[in-house]
Amino acid sequence: MGRGGQDYGKRENLSAKSSSGEEIFAAWAKDVSECEDYYQVDRDYGLSTEEVEKSREIHGWNELEKHEGPSIWRLVLDQFNDTLVRILLVAAVVSFVLAWYDGEEGGEMEITAFVEPLVIFLILIVNAIVGVWQENNAEKALEALKEIQSEQATVIREGKKISNLPAKELVPGDIVELRVGDKVPADMRVLALISSTVRLEQGSLTGESEAVSKTTKAVPEDSEIQGKKCMVFAGTTVVNGHCICLVTQIGMETEIGNVHSQIHEASQSEEDTPLKKKLNEFGEVLTAIIGVICALVWLINVKYFLTWEYVDGWPRNFKFSFEKCTYYFEIAVALAVAAIPEGLPAVITTSLALGTRKMAQKNALVRKLPSVETLGCTTVICSDKTGTLTTNQMAAAELVAMGSRAKPIRNFKVEGTTYNPLDGKIRGWPVRRMDANLQTIAKIAALCNDASIEHSGNHYVATGIPTEAALKVMVEKMGLPDGLDSGTSSRYGDVLRCCRAWNKLERRIATLEFDRDRKSMGVIVNSRSGRKSLLVKGAVENVLERSSYVQLLDGSIVELDQTSRETILQSLHEMSSSALRCLGFAYKEDLREFATYNGDEDHPAHELLLNPSNYSSIESKLIFVGLAGLRDPPRKEVRQAIEDCRAAGIRVIVITGDNKNTAEAICREIGVFGQFDDISSKSLTGKEFMEHHDPKGHLRQDGGLLFSRAEPRHKQEIVRFLKEDGEVVAMTGDGVNDAPALKLADIGIAMGIAGTEVAKEASDMVLADDNFSTIVAAVGEGRSIYNNMKAFIRYMISSNIGEVASIFLTAALGIPEGLIPVQLLWVNLVTDGPPATALGFNPPDNDVMKKPPRRSDDSLISAWILFRYLVIGLYVGIATVGIFIIWYTHDSFFGIDLSGDGQSLVTYSQLSTWSQCRTWKNFSVTPFKAGSQVYNFDANPCDYFQTGKIKAMTLSLSVLVAIEMFNSLNALSEDGSLLTMPPWVNPWLLLAMSVSFGLHFLILYVPFLAQIFGIVPLSLNEWLLVLVVAFPVILIDEILKFVGRCTSGVRASGSRKSSKRKAE
C-alpha cells in the first residue's frame, strides 16, 4: 500500500469489484514482487497506521458476517404453517366460541364444553415449542465457523513487529509472520520461507489427507484451491516451518468466508422432509373431505333448523331455529375433531425419538428428528473419502527390501489399517531373524522420524506427520533382531518399544530438514562406538538419484548398476499404480566432515548444517536399502457396506479433495468400481464436472461415481443437481469445506471423531465412529422406522375414518348424537396414543435392505389401502351407531340380556324422528338406572333422547375404543395375516392395548371423570355386547388382507407403470 491518494482510489475500485464477486487480484498467479507492488507494501516495513485505517474503511473488519436468523415470533408463526395444524386451530376456535355460548347457561356442561378447545390449544402450544426449539439450532453452524478463525496474529507495521494483534484488525496488504502451531488469520500470499520448508494442515478446508508444503512460486491463475501452493488460507494450521506472508483477502472475501456464505445460502433453501410433504398433502385432502362431509351434514339436517311453507308455488313463511342451527354446527365441529388425527404429531415425534435411541446404539447420533425418516428413502449417498471410507490413519501396506545378487528385491505385504502396532502383521516376516538389510531399514524408519504414537482410550493417536507415524508402526511390526533387546518391558503402555531400542543404539545429533527441492529428510546419528552415519528417507526417485550403492540382504554393499536401478523403479511404478505413497531409505557412513561432530555449535561442520543448500551434497553417494508403500487404507467393513447399498438400490458417489489416482485406487478396492472396469466416464475432477456439457446426465449413470479434487462449490452443485433430479441425497463430510453441502443435502452426516464443529453443526446426523458402514445400518433403521410409522398412520387414519362415519351416519339417520367432541378428542389423543406408539416397535422385516428405496413422492396411503380403511371405517360407523340404536330399541341382542337398566324401548322410527317428540301424543318413559344414578323423565319425557342417552353414548364410546384396539392388531402388517404375524411378535402392542383399556376403565369408573366425559359404568352383559359388536373388525380386515395378497402383483405392476409415466 504505502502509496498516494491517486493510486489508492484506483485500488479502491478494484476492491469494490472484488467484494461484489467480480474480478479480483489473483495473487497466487503473480510473482512476489508483483504482489508487493500491487499492494504497495514493503515486507520489512509493513503498513502505516493511516494506510490501515483507509483500508479498513473499504474492507471492514477481518471477521465473518453475522446473519440475523428469523425472529422468535417468525419461528412461532411458522409452526402454524401446516395444514393439519391450521384445521385444528380453526376447530379449537369454533369449539371455544360454542363453549362460551353454551357456558352462559352455567352448570356442569360448561366444564365439559371447555375441555375440548383447551386440550386442542395445549397440543398446538406444545407442538410450536418443540418446533421453535429445533429450528433455533439451525444457524449454529455459522457460529461454530467463527471459532475456527484465528484470534491473534504476529504483524509487521511501520517497521515494528506486533506479536499479539487481534486478528480481526488485519487488512489487505498487512505483512504477517507465521510459525509452527499458528492458526492462519486470513487468506495470504507466501512472500518468503524463513525455514527450508513450510507445511500446513488444510484438509478441513480442501479435503486433502496430508499436510501441504507451501512455496513462494506462482501457479496458474485457473488453479483449484488445492493447487494454490503459494497461498495460505484462513482457519488452517501451520504444522511445520516459519514464513512471511502478505494478507490478500479478509473476512467474507476469504475461502472460509465463501464457505460461510454457502452455508447461509444452503440453510435458506432447506426443504420439507418427504414425510412432512406427504402429511401436508394428506392434510389438504383431509380439509377437502371435512368440508364436503360438513356440507353434506348441514344439507341433510337443514330441514330441522330451517322450515318454510309453499304459497302459490313459492316458498314463504321461513322459520329459522338458531338453537338447532347451533346444534348442527356443533356436529360439524365434532366431525372436524373426529377427522383430524390429533395424536398423530405426538406419536410421530415419539416414534422418531425412539428411532434416534436405536440409532445411537449403532453409533449414529441424530440431531434433527425428521432425519430418521428421511434416511429411509435415501437413494444416493455422497461420501467423502478421507476418514469415512478410509481410516484417516496412514499405514504401511508394502515393504520392498533388497535381496541377493540372484534375486535383487524382496516384497513383504504389511497388514493393518490403524496406528495400533498390534493391528495386523507383516506376511512372510522372519521374526527375530532379521538380516542386515532389514535391520538397516528398521533403523532408518525409526530414527529418521519425528512422529510419535500414544494410546488414548480405545484409539491410538499419532502426533506429527501421518506418514512418519505409519513408519514407526511398521518398525514395531518388524520387531527386533535376535540379540537386540528393547530394554523395556512389552507392557501395554509402551507402544513404541522397538523404536526406543533403535534410539538407544544410535543417538541422533543433527537433522537435515525436508525441503521441496531434494524431497528428502536426513539425520546424522552417533553410535555407541562413536561412528557417525547419515540416515535418509524421502521420495524414491530423488533418493535413488543420489545413491551410488545398494546394500544386499547379507549387509554387503555393491555398486548400484542400471539393472538394479530399473528393478527398483519397476517396483516403485507398481506400488504407485496401487495409489501407494512410496518412501525410499538410504544411508551413508563415510562422513569425513562430521567424523568428530557431536552437535556442538562451535564445530566447523555445524556451519554446513545451517545452510540448506548444502544438504544435497551431504546426501550424495548414498547406499540404497529399500522402500515402503504407505496409504490411508479403506476401513475393513466398508466393502460389505457398499455391497449392502447396491442390494438396497442405493447409489454411492465418492466426492473427495484428494488426487484422482489415489481416489480411484481406493474406489476399486472398496467395490465402488470393479477391479477391471473402464471408469474414464465415471471418474472426473470437480473442475471437469463443472465444465461438463451435461452434468445431470453424468449424474444419472448407473453404479458408483467418483469426483476428485472437489471444492466446496463442486460438492454443492453435485447435491443440488441430484436433488433437482428427484433423488433423496445423504451427504457425508468432516471438514469446513463439507459444511455447505451438508446443509444443502436432504440429510447431512458429519464425522464425530475427525469432524470439525462446523460440519457437526451443519449436519442432521453425526457418526460417533466416523464409519461409512454405520450410515448403511442407519438407513436400514430409517426404513424400518418408516414402515412402522406407516403402520400407525394407517391405524390412526382408519380409526378417524370410523369416527367420521359414525357422526355422518348419526346425522344422516337423524338419531341423537352418539359421540360428543370431548369423547372423540379423548379417543384420538389418549386411547389411540399407546397402541399407535407401540406400533413403532414392530420388528424390522428381514429383507428391509434388499428392497429398492421408496420414491420420495410415493403416496403414504395407496388407493387399495384407502379402500380397505373406508370399508373398516364404514363398519366402525355402523357398529358405534348400531349399538346406540340397539340400546334404545332392543332388550336383548344375540341372547345377551340388556334389560337390567329398566330403560323404555322405542321404535327405530321414533328414534330417528326424536326432534318431533313434543308433537307425539301420550309419549311417556319409565325411570331407569345407569350406574348409581336414577334418571327420571316425568317432567319432560322428550329429555329421554338427550339426558337419557348417557348409557347408549357410553356403549358407543366403548365399542369405538374396543374396535380401535382390535384394529391396532390389524395394523401389525400391511398385508400379513394375524396367523402369520401373531400379536405377540410385538409385546409392546399388547401392553399398550392394556394401558388404553385401563384408561377407558378409568374414565368409566371414576365418578368425576365420568361426569366430564358424559358417560356411566357398564355392566358385564353390556361389556359382552361391546366385544360381540367390535370383534368382526378383525375378520373383515383378514378378508381384505387376503384379497390384497392375491392381487398384490397386479397392483405393483400398475404402480410401476404409473411411476414410469410420472418420470416421463
Side-chain angles (χ1 to χ4, degrees):
M1 278 187 179
R3 59 195 178 286
Q6 189 177 358
D7 288 331
Y8 194 89
K10 191 176 177 183
R11 175 71 188 116
E12 181 175 341
N13 291 336
L14 284 167
S15 291
K17 282 185 180 181
S18 166
S19 60
S20 64
E22 296 176 18
E23 183 186 347
I24 60 169
F25 178 68
W28 59 91
K30 312 294 182 187
D31 289 334
V32 167
S33 57
E34 284 183 80
C35 294
E36 289 182 301
D37 289 345
Y38 179 78
Y39 287 98
Q40 296 198 3
V41 65
D42 180 85
R43 74 179 73 171
D44 297 321
Y45 184 79
L47 298 178
S48 67
T49 305
E50 184 184 347
E51 287 167 341
V52 169
E53 291 301 324
K54 283 183 180 177
S55 183
R56 187 166 296 129
E57 285 177 18
I58 300 167
H59 301 284
W61 297 94
N62 178 31
E63 57 188 2
L64 300 179
E65 284 177 10
K66 182 171 177 59
H67 293 289
E68 287 297 327
S71 69
I72 195 77
W73 292 114
R74 178 74 259 167
L75 288 174
V76 170
L77 288 174
D78 285 348
Q79 304 315 307
F80 293 89
N81 188 24
D82 180 285
T83 314
L84 273 177
V85 170
R86 285 200 293 260
I87 300 170
L88 262 181
L89 189 61
V90 171
V93 170
V94 172
S95 299
F96 193 84
V97 170
L98 292 175
W100 192 272
Y101 170 76
D102 289 341
E104 290 176 6
E105 299 172 14
E108 294 163 356
M109 279 305 293
E110 185 178 2
I111 303 168
T112 310
F114 277 107
V115 168
E116 177 199 328
L118 290 175
V119 169
I120 296 178
F121 280 128
L122 187 64
I123 295 165
L124 295 175
I125 290 165
V126 170
N127 185 56
I129 289 169
V130 171
V132 168
W133 176 76
Q134 268 192 328
E135 291 183 29
N136 215 19
N137 293 327
E139 296 301 310
K140 285 199 176 170
L142 302 179
E143 295 303 315
L145 199 59
K146 292 179 182 178
E147 292 176 15
I148 284 183
Q149 289 181 288
S150 174
E151 292 181 0
Q152 294 178 326
T154 301
V155 185
I156 296 168
R157 285 184 181 170
E158 297 182 334
K160 298 174 187 173
K161 187 185 287 188
I162 306 169
S163 295
N164 295 311
L165 183 83
K168 78 171 200 172
E169 295 183 15
L170 289 176
V171 294
D174 260 325
I175 304 297
V176 174
E177 185 178 320
L178 289 178
R179 293 177 179 273
V180 175
D182 285 351
K183 195 176 273 188
V184 179
D187 285 6
M188 304 190 285
R189 172 67 159 90
V190 180
L191 297 181
L193 303 185
I194 296 173
S195 59
S196 58
T197 178
V198 171
R199 276 182 282 190
L200 273 88
E201 174 52 66
Q202 58 183 44
S204 65
L205 186 66
T206 63
E208 291 159 295
S209 56
E210 297 173 2
V212 178
S213 293
K214 295 297 177 179
T215 178
T216 58
K217 295 174 185 173
V219 297
E221 189 168 338
D222 62 350
S223 296
E224 302 159 334
I225 186 171
Q226 295 93 338
K228 295 176 182 176
K229 302 291 186 186
C230 58
M231 296 290 292
V232 294
F233 302 106
T236 60
T237 307
V238 183
V239 294
N240 169 252
H242 180 191
C243 63
I244 300 293
C245 303
L246 168 69
V247 175
T248 56
Q249 272 89 29
I250 63 167
M252 294 301 291
E253 295 292 335
T254 62
E255 290 293 339
I256 204 171
N258 292 337
V259 171
H260 183 280
S261 300
Q262 289 163 357
I263 292 175
H264 180 67
E265 183 187 329
S267 68
Q268 299 300 102
S269 59
E270 283 186 350
E271 295 179 4
D272 288 341
T273 64
L275 179 67
K276 190 167 184 198
K277 288 177 185 172
K278 291 193 191 81
L279 288 175
N280 281 341
E281 288 166 13
F282 167 67
E284 286 160 15
V285 172
L286 193 62
T287 309
I289 291 170
I290 291 170
V292 169
I293 293 174
C294 287
L296 276 173
V297 169
W298 270 49
L299 286 172
I300 290 167
N301 293 289
V302 73
K303 60 187 178 184
Y304 295 120
F305 58 84
L306 183 63
T307 57
W308 59 86
E309 295 172 0
Y310 283 94
V311 179
D312 299 330
W314 293 93
R316 302 281 172 89
N317 303 328
F318 288 94
K319 290 180 183 177
F320 177 73
S321 169
F322 183 74
E323 187 182 344
K324 287 187 179 177
C325 176
T326 306
Y327 171 74
Y328 287 107
F329 192 65
E330 285 177 343
I331 287 181
V333 172
L335 266 172
V337 172
I340 304 164
E342 290 91 350
L344 191 57
V347 174
I348 287 175
T349 303
T350 306
S351 177
L352 293 176
L354 291 169
T356 62
R357 288 188 63 185
K358 286 185 190 174
M359 287 187 177
Q361 291 166 1
K362 296 182 179 180
N363 290 318
L365 311 175
V366 177
R367 296 183 66 247
K368 297 175 184 173
L369 281 184
S371 312
V372 177
E373 180 270 334
T374 311
L375 265 173
C377 56
T378 300
T379 57
V380 178
I381 298 176
C382 294
S383 178
D384 190 26
K385 176 186 75 71
T386 308
T388 311
L389 299 173
T390 64
T391 62
N392 200 21
Q393 299 184 9
M394 293 298 285
E398 191 167 347
L399 175 63
V400 175
M402 297 298 103
S404 60
R405 289 180 186 274
K407 188 184 176 188
I409 60 169
R410 298 170 289 165
N411 291 72
F412 298 95
K413 295 290 181 188
V414 186
E415 297 173 347
T417 57
T418 67
Y419 291 133
N420 180 358
L422 304 175
D423 176 19
K425 57 184 181 180
I426 304 175
R427 289 186 209 162
W429 191 252
V431 181
R432 304 294 293 184
R433 292 183 290 104
M434 288 164 63
D435 53 62
N437 176 245
L438 295 178
Q439 289 183 42
T440 307
I441 292 173
K443 180 168 69 174
I444 297 170
L447 296 176
C448 191
N449 196 320
D450 292 321
S452 67
I453 293 168
E454 292 174 2
H455 188 253
S456 173
N458 296 325
H459 304 283
Y460 286 82
V461 181
T463 52
I465 296 168
T467 48
E468 292 193 338
L471 289 178
K472 285 209 166 178
V473 173
M474 183 184 75
V475 172
E476 296 305 310
K477 290 176 182 176
M478 293 168 83
L480 294 171
D482 206 18
L484 179 60
D485 185 20
S486 66
T488 61
S489 65
S490 58
R491 65 187 187 280
Y492 187 68
D494 195 4
V495 180
L496 300 176
R497 65 187 193 88
C498 298
C499 292
R500 290 190 221 287
W502 288 112
N503 271 292
K504 282 188 175 182
L505 200 65
E506 311 248 349
R507 186 174 65 85
R508 188 163 139 179
I509 56 173
T511 302
L512 284 66
E513 286 182 347
F514 175 92
D515 66 45
R516 289 180 59 82
D517 295 325
R518 71 185 212 288
K519 293 184 180 176
S520 63
M521 169 194 177
V523 294
I524 298 172
V525 295
N526 187 12
S527 67
R528 286 176 179 173
S529 62
R531 186 169 49 88
K532 310 293 188 297
S533 54
L534 170 68
L535 309 179
V536 178
K537 77 167 192 308
V540 179
E541 300 99 318
N542 297 58
V543 173
L544 200 60
E545 192 180 315
R546 297 198 299 276
S547 297
S548 305
Y549 309 96
V550 63
Q551 182 193 48
L552 300 182
L553 65 85
D554 59 0
S556 59
I557 295 165
V558 297
E559 193 170 334
L560 179 63
D561 57 21
Q562 191 60 30
T563 305
S564 299
R565 193 179 294 272
E566 286 174 2
T567 304
I568 293 166
L569 288 173
Q570 178 62 30
S571 289
L572 171 65
H573 176 71
E574 289 170 5
M575 290 162 75
S576 298
S577 301
S578 301
L580 296 182
R581 185 181 178 201
C582 298
L583 290 174
F585 305 108
Y587 75 104
K588 180 179 180 181
E589 292 192 323
D590 183 17
L591 295 174
R592 291 175 190 170
E593 303 95 329
F594 298 93
T596 58
Y597 180 66
N598 61 359
D600 187 356
E601 291 183 11
D602 296 327
H603 194 284
H606 190 72
E607 287 296 318
L608 292 172
L609 296 173
L610 293 177
N611 187 356
S613 61
N614 295 324
Y615 291 175
S616 292
S617 60
I618 297 170
E619 292 177 355
S620 60
K621 297 184 180 178
L622 298 171
I623 303 164
F624 193 84
V625 295
L627 62 149
L630 305 104
R631 61 174 181 162
D632 177 10
R635 294 176 180 271
K636 294 172 185 172
E637 54 284 325
V638 163
R639 189 176 183 88
Q640 184 56 49
I642 299 277
E643 287 297 319
D644 292 343
C645 283
R646 195 169 285 123
I650 299 169
R651 289 196 297 146
V652 177
I653 296 177
V654 179
I655 310 175
T656 178
D658 225 338
N659 73 67
K660 195 171 184 177
N661 290 341
T662 304
E664 284 179 354
I666 292 290
C667 285
R668 286 188 190 278
E669 190 171 347
I670 62 177
V672 173
F673 304 132
Q675 281 296 333
F676 306 105
D677 288 357
D678 176 13
I679 58 171
S680 55
S681 65
K682 294 197 169 192
S683 172
L684 301 179
T685 64
K687 190 176 178 184
E688 287 167 350
F689 173 73
M690 296 299 281
E691 294 168 356
H692 199 283
H693 67 282
D694 181 16
K696 282 191 179 178
H698 178 78
L699 290 170
R700 287 188 193 121
Q701 293 181 81
D702 290 335
L705 295 174
L706 168 64
F707 298 96
S708 47
R709 288 292 181 197
E711 296 179 26
R713 60 194 176 90
H714 301 152
K715 295 183 179 186
Q716 270 185 288
E717 284 305 303
I718 291 166
V719 171
R720 188 174 284 116
F721 282 138
L722 287 167
K723 286 180 71 174
E724 285 173 4
D725 233 16
E727 304 282 7
V728 178
V729 185
M731 169 81 194
T732 78
D734 56 1
V736 175
N737 61 327
D738 298 318
L742 290 175
K743 198 80 173 166
L744 186 64
D746 293 291
I747 175 158
I749 304 169
M751 304 298 111
I753 299 170
T756 58
E757 280 305 307
V758 184
K760 290 177 192 174
E761 290 293 349
S763 69
D764 303 292
M765 191 172 93
V766 177
L767 300 184
D769 59 357
D770 290 12
N771 199 328
F772 180 84
S773 61
T774 302
I775 303 170
V776 181
V779 169
E781 193 63 50
R783 288 186 176 189
S784 172
I785 289 166
Y786 180 77
N787 289 342
N788 291 347
M789 283 170 67
K790 271 181 77 175
F792 66 65
I793 289 170
R794 288 196 309 268
Y795 160 65
M796 295 190 86
I797 289 171
S798 68
S799 299
N800 284 87
I801 291 171
E803 292 167 20
V804 170
S806 175
I807 293 170
F808 183 74
L809 285 173
T810 300
L813 297 175
I815 64 175
E817 185 184 19
L819 294 165
I820 58 174
V822 74
Q823 292 171 350
L824 293 171
L825 199 62
W826 171 264
V827 171
N828 287 355
L829 278 177
V830 182
T831 318
D832 284 358
T837 306
L839 286 167
F841 288 96
N842 280 355
D845 298 336
N846 292 330
D847 60 350
V848 73
M849 284 299 281
K850 291 184 172 60
K851 296 175 181 174
R854 70 182 194 278
R855 290 179 62 88
S856 58
D857 58 355
D858 279 356
S859 59
L860 198 62
I861 301 170
S862 66
W864 166 247
I865 294 295
L866 183 60
F867 171 76
R868 255 175 62 185
Y869 288 116
L870 285 172
V871 173
I872 296 291
L874 185 62
Y875 178 74
V876 174
I878 291 168
T880 50
V881 173
I883 201 166
F884 187 92
I885 295 170
I886 287 167
W887 186 83
Y888 269 104
T889 60
H890 291 70
D891 58 4
S892 71
F893 189 76
F894 279 109
I896 301 168
D897 182 21
L898 301 175
S899 61
D901 290 339
Q903 78 271 29
S904 300
L905 299 182
V906 296
T907 64
Y908 172 72
S909 174
Q910 286 176 312
L911 187 63
S912 61
T913 55
W914 69 276
S915 59
Q916 299 169 21
C917 172
R918 295 177 193 279
T919 64
W920 298 344
K921 292 178 181 177
N922 303 321
F923 177 69
S924 64
V925 292
T926 57
F928 76 91
K929 187 178 181 183
S932 59
Q933 193 171 349
V934 176
Y935 291 83
N936 193 309
F937 306 98
D938 291 341
N940 180 11
C942 291
D943 203 27
Y944 182 50
F945 299 105
Q946 284 290 88
T947 312
K949 67 179 180 180
I950 192 162
K951 177 59 74 75
M953 277 175 60
T954 306
L955 287 167
S956 284
L957 180 62
S958 298
V959 162
L960 182 63
V961 169
I963 284 184
E964 295 191 1
M965 292 308 100
F966 291 142
N967 201 22
S968 68
L969 296 177
N970 291 334
L972 271 172
S973 174
E974 191 168 320
D975 276 327
S977 166
L978 280 171
L979 298 173
T980 57
M981 186 173 266
W984 49 87
V985 299
N986 185 349
W988 293 105
L989 180 58
L990 298 176
L991 178 63
M993 287 171 66
S994 305
V995 168
S996 290
F997 271 125
L999 289 168
H1000 185 60
F1001 290 150
L1002 190 72
I1003 64 167
L1004 274 179
Y1005 297 105
V1006 174
F1008 168 70
L1009 294 173
Q1011 183 183 348
I1012 287 178
F1013 288 96
I1015 53 180
V1016 289
L1018 297 180
S1019 68
L1020 193 60
N1021 271 12
E1022 287 161 346
W1023 270 116
L1024 194 57
L1025 176 67
V1026 167
L1027 295 176
V1028 165
V1029 172
F1031 188 75
V1033 76
I1034 288 182
L1035 303 177
I1036 293 169
D1037 204 46
E1038 283 293 306
I1039 293 166
L1040 291 169
K1041 283 181 178 179
F1042 176 73
V1043 173
R1045 289 195 296 275
C1046 293
T1047 59
S1048 59
V1050 177
R1051 283 185 286 110
S1053 171
S1055 173
R1056 280 194 295 273
K1057 285 176 184 172
S1058 168
S1059 293
K1060 192 174 178 183
R1061 280 198 299 274
K1062 274 186 189 176
E1064 286 167 357

